[in-house]
Amino acid sequence: MAMNEKNVSVKEMGSVSSESMDSFHSQAHFWGRATLWLLIIACLLPPLYLSFILNHHPGWDAIAAGVVGYAAFIGIMWVLEPITYYPTLGTAGTYMAFLTGNIANMCLPCSAAAQNAIGAEAGSKKAEISGALAIAVASLVNIVVIISVIISGSYIISVLPAPIEGAFEFVLPAIFGGVLGQFAYKTPLYGIIALGVGLAVLFSPIFSLIKIVICVILTITIVLFLENRNDGDKNG
């Protein structure tokens, strides 16, 4: 009797947890879409004001040429980034990350570090919640830092020694290296595979705009193949 009551209790807890996450996702979608639409409107207001109130419209030909040129250069990332980052960012984290920006050099590392700190498995509910909280805190800190830099940044940069100022170019590669090391530490073989694929694609005569896509696709394909083979060996 006690065992049956325990099983029922576990099932009820699982149901409540599932309902809570569904509610959390529903709220994340509502507020995420609302804030992103508000941001889009806010971004469009200045050019609309300059174009149609102050009569400084550059012409639709110039706008179309700019859109096409920019899309040809970075358009692939509009599709690739949400798909690539979602497993680590989660639903709420994805909305916040694309709202605040600095995804690769702030949101993604902070989310991954928070998940690693509490031992959360990637893609789990625990990982999603911890990642969302980490991105929220990182975004607030980023706003404070940006305001401080805007107020005093030009002075600070002017007094920095040239070697330190030149070192800023290595910040983003160092962050990517840190994230790679963090995940590769758990499964070194997959880290070596990702690094090898990246180097091979980097030095191959492939169109630069699709190199990132090819790296992601090849690495995921190889890892999935190895995972399926390992599962087959275990079952066999």
Side-chain angles (χ1 to χ4, degrees), residues 50-129:
L50 291 171
S51 296
F52 301 109
I53 303 300
L54 299 182
N55 296 320
H56 294 311
H57 194 278
W60 293 112
D61 292 340
I63 294 175
V67 170
V68 171
Y70 185 74
F73 176 71
I74 203 70
I76 187 64
M77 303 305 295
W78 300 340
V79 178
L80 179 64
E81 285 190 346
I83 297 174
T84 305
Y85 296 151
Y86 177 79
T88 302
L89 299 177
T91 301
T94 298
Y95 281 117
M96 287 191 291
F98 281 89
L99 178 70
T100 61
N102 295 316
I103 302 175
N105 59 351
M106 183 187 74
C107 297
L108 188 67
C110 288
S111 178
Q115 295 170 14
N116 183 65
I118 63 174
E121 183 179 354
S124 65
K125 298 174 183 177
K126 183 178 180 181
E128 182 173 359
I129 297 298

Side-chain angles (χ1 to χ4, degrees), residues 2 15 17 19 23 38 74 77 92 99 104 119 121 141 146 155 171 204 233-234:
S15 177
S17 176
E19 291 177 0
S23 176
L38 287 174
I74 203 70
M77 303 305 295
L99 178 70
E121 183 179 354
V141 173
I146 287 176
Y155 171 75
V171 171
S204 61
D233 294 339
K234 292 178 182 177

Side-chain angles (χ1 to χ4, degrees), residues 168-197:
F168 290 160
E169 299 179 4
F170 301 99
V171 171
L172 187 58
I175 291 173
F176 277 115
V179 173
L180 173 64
Q182 179 178 328
F183 286 99
Y185 177 78
K186 298 179 181 178
T187 314
L189 175 60
Y190 294 164
I192 294 173
I193 290 172
L195 188 60
V197 170

Side-chain angles (χ1 to χ4, degrees), residues 151-175:
I151 295 174
S152 59
S154 58
Y155 171 75
I156 294 175
I157 293 175
S158 67
V159 298
L160 287 176
I164 295 179
E165 187 176 349
F168 290 160
E169 299 179 4
F170 301 99
V171 171
L172 187 58
I175 291 173

